Amino acid sequence: MADYMTQKMSSGVLAATTYYRKQSAHPSHIESSNFTTAAKTAYANLHAILVTQVELGDYKSNQGVPKSGNTQLI
């Protein structure tokens, strides 16, 4: 099983999306920060909202592929 970084994005009443990306063995701060930025931008683009309106959920590393809810590989 590969390890993934996951993070849920939401905004107000819009449906939340959990984004995930394959990670290196030990993700650096830069790698995790780039993932969060990409997920935040993808969610904003998906819902045609400003990036500043996106609410960040908890970042997690060393996760499996999320299997429930609305998920998106980035």
Side-chain angles (χ1 to χ4, degrees), residues 33-45:
S33 179
N34 287 344
F35 165 69
T36 295
T37 299
K40 192 173 181 180
T41 301
Y43 187 85
N45 289 339

Side-chain angles (χ1 to χ4, degrees), residues 17 23 31 36 42 56 58 64 67 72:
T17 301
Q23 69 181 52
E31 182 181 5
T36 295
L56 305 177
D58 291 335
K67 298 194 186 310
Q72 179 70 46

Side-chain angles (χ1 to χ4, degrees), residues 1-10 16-24 27-28 31-40 55-74:
M1 177 173 92
D3 289 328
Y4 291 85
M5 299 176 283
T6 66
Q7 191 164 14
K8 186 178 282 189
M9 302 289 159
S10 62
T17 301
T18 300
Y19 291 92
Y20 64 103
R21 175 184 285 174
K22 191 169 182 173
Q23 69 181 52
S24 62
S28 67
E31 182 181 5
S32 61
S33 179
N34 287 344
F35 165 69
T36 295
T37 299
K40 192 173 181 180
E55 299 168 20
L56 305 177
D58 291 335
Y59 163 84
K60 296 178 183 176
S61 61
N62 299 315
Q63 303 295 301
V65 173
K67 298 194 186 310
S68 63
N70 187 17
T71 62
Q72 179 70 46
L73 174 67
I74 57 168

